[in-house]
Amino acid sequence: MNYKDLIDRIEAGYEPDAQEIESLIQLDRPEAEYLFNAANRTTQKYCGNKVHIRGIIEFSNYCRCRCLYCGINCDNNDVKRYRMEPDEIIENAALAYKAGYRTVVLQSGEDLWYTRDKISYIVKSIKSAGDMAITLSVGERNHEDYLQWFRDGADRFLIKHETADEKLYNMLHPHSNFNNRLKCLRDLKKIGYQLGSGFMVGLPGQTAETIAKDILLLKELDVDMAGIGPFIPHPKTGLKEKAQGSTFLTLKAVAVSRLLIKKVHLPATTALGVLNSDDKENAFSSGANVIMIKVQDHKYRKLYEIYPKGEGQIESIEAERRKLENFIMGLGREVSDDRGDSLKLKEDNYE
Ligand code: SAH
């Protein structure tokens, strides 16, 4: 089948196999334009023209893990570690609410200082203060923890599968393994969370075949959200000499995911650096409908360095949000003022 027919058929509901997905991941320019346009139409049809803005509070950079790619892994002694107190996190979420955020993502390294009860307290306090969705992103914990936080009112959970290649996964995560990651993902879905997974593009040893498996795994996990971003080498990690993942390849992975899964929230991930680029071709023209920005105090931002990134100007949480809203409107998109819950919970589409 030629690539245009294949794209048309997937847009209309055909479920491609791994090889067909791989062929789309390998499209060159200008053929990829056809893929991006189809992804764009699919976004408009299933998500509408609105972009959801999520505020993320990176509340601790302590981590028990040894992820080979990550700058805050526990073997990096050069990191100045910080933890926000539960009440500080709750106040931070209240500020975000006041600035217009209706989703707060609470992310950290895997830091067991935050016990089940501490996170319960944080979730319950934030939920009682207003109608704001909470996404937890605190890594691998046990079933009882996940269940308790869901009962406390946490709405969503983000834990990426990172790569669907089991051998590569186990090599990159010496402290854990692929099966445990999948177990967490499936458990969270079963409990009732809106589930977020995702993966990195351009990891050393990854191929187009792996990316096809990554996308099929998103489908199989029935995710509500998927963060797909390029791998960025961090100078204080074992992968420091490796090449950065390609933006073009990442955009193709986002586009194919949109085309295949349709009702899924796809962020323009921070690693893509959309905000710092004038490039007209970005994740918002290849399937993305969500963006996350940091809302914690500036003194913590630089310290949560999972990969190197430039430091933005220091502005108030309101000014930063306005800037982002202007950016989104500059792309011809609108800004959503609702929580942006899972698209799977909605029957209708935007046709
Ligand atoms: N501890 C939490 C949060 C992880 S950090 C958890 O385990 O889920 C959030 C995401 O950043 C990771 O899931 C990973 O996909 C991404 N990330 C980490 N290091 C990266 C790097 N060097 N380049 C690109 N993305 C990276």
Side-chain angles (χ1 to χ4, degrees):
M1 206 185 315
N2 83 34
Y3 75 94
K4 287 188 177 172
D5 288 341
L6 179 59
I7 291 168
D8 290 348
R9 286 185 60 189
I10 303 173
E11 191 178 353
Y14 168 70
E15 299 207 358
D17 62 24
Q19 271 178 351
E20 288 169 322
I21 295 179
E22 200 183 323
S23 72
L24 296 181
I25 291 299
Q26 286 170 319
L27 284 181
D28 279 325
R29 298 177 193 282
E31 287 80 13
E33 291 310 311
Y34 198 82
L35 171 66
F36 294 154
N37 290 337
N40 223 338
R41 279 194 299 277
T42 308
T43 311
Q44 290 290 332
K45 178 167 167 185
Y46 292 93
C47 316
N49 194 39
K50 290 196 171 154
V51 170
H52 299 285
I53 304 180
R54 324 283 198 201
I56 178 167
I57 302 175
E58 295 158 337
F59 63 87
S60 164
N61 68 353
Y62 280 86
C63 193
R64 61 173 164 169
C65 302
R66 309 201 132 78
C67 308
L68 258 59
Y69 45 83
C70 182
I72 62 167
N73 80 66
C74 65
D75 294 321
N76 184 359
N77 296 322
D78 293 338
V79 182
K80 186 176 159 221
R81 306 277 169 176
Y82 72 92
R83 275 187 187 116
M84 287 170 65
E85 287 293 328
D87 285 326
E88 196 182 357
I89 300 171
I90 295 160
E91 280 160 31
N92 198 157
L95 282 180
Y97 187 80
K98 235 178 97 203
Y101 292 92
R102 291 298 173 265
T103 293
V104 68
V105 182
L106 303 179
Q107 190 177 87
S108 65
E110 290 202 9
D111 183 359
L112 299 180
W113 184 83
Y114 297 89
T115 55
R116 184 188 307 162
D117 286 350
K118 279 198 181 106
I119 295 194
S120 278
Y121 168 72
I122 296 166
V123 169
K124 283 193 277 198
S125 308
I126 295 176
K127 291 305 282 192
S128 65
D131 182 25
M132 179 147 72
I134 298 181
T135 304
L136 294 175
S137 181
V138 298
E140 298 177 15
R141 301 283 287 245
N142 61 38
H143 173 80
E144 286 70 29
D145 288 359
Y146 289 157
L147 185 63
Q148 183 60 49
W149 302 332
F150 184 72
R151 289 183 173 152
D152 293 330
D155 302 87
R156 311 179 189 142
F157 205 103
L158 169 61
I159 179 164
K160 301 191 191 182
H161 73 256
E162 313 293 4
T163 173
D165 176 336
E166 182 170 358
K167 261 172 85 183
L168 181 58
Y169 186 97
N170 292 344
M171 195 270 283
L172 293 171
H173 305 94
H175 55 277
S176 184
N177 62 67
F178 185 61
N179 283 333
N180 199 50
R181 197 70 166 187
L182 285 186
K183 193 168 139 277
C184 290
L185 278 153
R186 296 206 165 102
D187 191 27
L188 289 158
K189 184 82 191 177
K190 213 162 119 209
I191 289 172
Y193 283 97
Q194 297 173 37
L195 184 64
S197 183
F199 58 91
M200 282 174 276
V201 171
L203 285 167
Q206 184 192 51
T207 60
E209 190 186 341
T210 322
I211 297 176
K213 271 169 68 179
D214 282 315
I215 295 171
L216 285 169
L217 182 56
L218 294 179
K219 173 106 183 153
E220 186 201 319
L221 290 167
D222 193 21
V223 296
D224 301 282
M225 196 280 256
I228 302 168
F231 157 70
I232 301 174
H234 187 290
K236 293 281 158 55
T237 63
L239 301 182
K240 60 173 183 262
E241 308 286 354
K242 303 292 179 188
Q244 178 159 336
S246 135
T247 301
F248 181 52
L249 190 57
T250 308
L251 296 187
K252 287 185 286 182
V254 172
V256 176
S257 302
R258 166 63 67 210
L259 211 53
L260 179 65
I261 309 175
K262 298 184 169 64
K263 283 191 171 185
V264 62
H265 287 303
L266 297 177
T269 46
T270 314
L272 275 167
V274 187
L275 288 175
N276 308 319
S277 143
D278 299 328
D279 218 339
K280 276 272 165 263
E281 178 185 274
N282 64 34
F284 287 111
S285 53
S286 70
N289 71 317
V290 169
I291 190 157
M292 281 194 228
I293 66 163
K294 295 178 190 239
V295 294
Q296 76 266 28
D297 195 290
H298 283 269
K299 67 175 183 260
Y300 298 128
R301 295 192 192 181
K302 185 71 191 145
L303 301 177
Y304 196 82
E305 197 187 60
I306 49 186
Y307 47 81
K309 47 202 154 189
E311 232 178 323
Q313 264 170 291
I314 300 195
E315 289 180 271
S316 71
I317 182 167
E318 284 86 8
E320 283 168 339
R321 182 169 170 115
R322 270 198 303 278
K323 216 164 150 182
L324 180 58
E325 288 180 351
N326 287 333
F327 172 82
I328 290 166
M329 292 186 288
L331 299 172
R333 302 283 284 266
E334 297 153 81
V335 176
S336 166
D337 57 9
D338 66 35
R339 297 176 12 149
D341 280 305
S342 170
L343 296 159
K344 297 183 197 234
L345 302 172
K346 292 167 78 151
E347 286 303 313
D348 54 328
N349 60 38
Y350 290 82
E351 265 186 318

